[in-house]
Amino acid sequence: KENNADLSQFTVSIKFHGINMRLTAPRSVGPDEITGVSMRKLFKTFRRNNGMSIIYNAVFTQKRVIFVGHNLPSDLIANMVLSTCLLTSPAIQGTLQR
């Protein structure tokens, strides 16, 4: 069932464990939004020694984050870079360009 009040979003009503909920998704993806990337590996890799806190703080204070992956596949490093951009929602304009 679509929400006619806001045509930029698609809304679906569902019932989950007896609770009525509305799920909303945008109809289009903005220029700084990323899809199809899992954040699981990023959290698993940097969960120790406040690694995620450091990365999260760096993104919000607009600092540069460099990922170095000695003997790691390039797709893993690329996934971590893109996952870092997903720490902000909605996307901070210009995050992908930095």
Side-chain angles (χ1 to χ4, degrees), residues 22-35:
R22 291 177 52 174
L23 301 177
T24 304
R27 290 187 183 271
S28 63
V29 176
D32 284 328
E33 295 182 53
I34 303 165
T35 59

Side-chain angles (χ1 to χ4, degrees), residues 4 26 33 38 49 63 66 68 79 84 86 93:
N4 292 329
E33 295 182 53
S38 172
N49 301 325
K63 294 182 180 167
I66 298 174
V68 179
N79 189 16
T84 301
L86 290 176
Q93 188 174 3

Side-chain angles (χ1 to χ4, degrees), residues 3-64:
N3 182 1
N4 292 329
D6 187 3
L7 297 177
S8 66
Q9 297 182 341
F10 180 75
T11 304
V12 177
S13 297
I14 64 165
K15 192 169 193 173
F16 182 72
H17 290 290
I19 301 170
N20 292 324
M21 302 173 73
R22 291 177 52 174
L23 301 177
T24 304
R27 290 187 183 271
S28 63
V29 176
D32 284 328
E33 295 182 53
I34 303 165
T35 59
V37 177
S38 172
M39 296 179 72
R40 185 175 152 250
K41 205 59 153 160
L42 179 72
F43 279 92
K44 187 175 178 182
T45 303
F46 294 102
R47 67 180 171 202
R48 295 185 189 149
N49 301 325
N50 295 325
M52 282 308 302
S53 298
I54 293 168
I55 293 171
Y56 190 76
N57 185 41
V59 170
F60 274 102
T61 56
Q62 298 184 354
K63 294 182 180 167
R64 295 177 189 248

